[in-house]
Amino acid sequence: MSAEQVPERKPTSIQPIPMHSRIQKRWVLAKRRNGVQQQLHNEAIESQYHSILAKAKQLLKSQGVYLERDYKNDNTENAFLLHAFISDSFYFTLECSMSFVYLVEYAFSNCLHEDDLRKQLSTYTLSQHAKEVDLQPTFKTFYQTVITVQDKRYLHSL
């Protein structure tokens, strides 16, 4: 493909990691290095994550703009992250750790459905691999920064 045929990229404030600096996605390495037991465990965590995500989106209907981004096959920003969902009241991410184990991070901020979502998080095997985090400097500032800097194609309305 010649330089003239390459479509022009819309500028964003987040620049992709240069190709020569990218490392392979951790989940790909986990599939190669982990035994069958750990692979099945990771798949169960991912399945449970997406189940809770679907429930969260249903509960959070009509609560504004949110970011949802599938990083699983996207190595432009982060080799560890598989998926991210960030609304103004609920933060929910799935990543593959340095030790090739899937982990979930979550946070709440004045979430009307926090009790329901906590119940969902506690009823799964996922609870052993889920960690509540404090977003810095505050949840509201973190959310507003994400909405401002992320490419608009990843922003949606509930």
Side-chain angles (χ1 to χ4, degrees), residues 15-16 20 98 105 113 121 124 126 128 142-145:
Q15 298 302 312
H20 67 279
M98 287 295 288
E105 289 187 346
H113 304 285
L121 285 163
Y124 291 100
L126 178 72
Q128 299 168 18
F142 181 87
Y143 168 76
Q144 289 172 337
T145 303

Side-chain angles (χ1 to χ4, degrees), residues 34-90:
N34 284 342
V36 173
Q37 186 88 5
Q38 185 60 51
Q39 286 181 21
L40 292 172
H41 193 71
N42 283 349
E43 289 172 11
I45 291 170
E46 184 174 10
S47 175
Q48 292 165 359
Y49 170 87
H50 286 289
S51 175
I52 293 171
L53 176 62
K55 179 72 170 176
K57 288 166 72 174
Q58 182 183 17
L59 290 171
L60 297 172
K61 279 185 184 173
S62 72
Q63 286 197 330
V65 175
Y66 68 93
L67 170 121
E68 184 171 12
R69 187 163 176 184
D70 184 354
Y71 288 92
K72 192 166 187 176
N73 295 305
D74 179 353
N75 204 14
T76 58
E77 291 179 28
N78 189 314
F80 300 94
L81 207 53
L82 280 86
H83 193 272
F85 176 86
I86 305 167
S87 76
D88 63 351
S89 63
F90 184 52

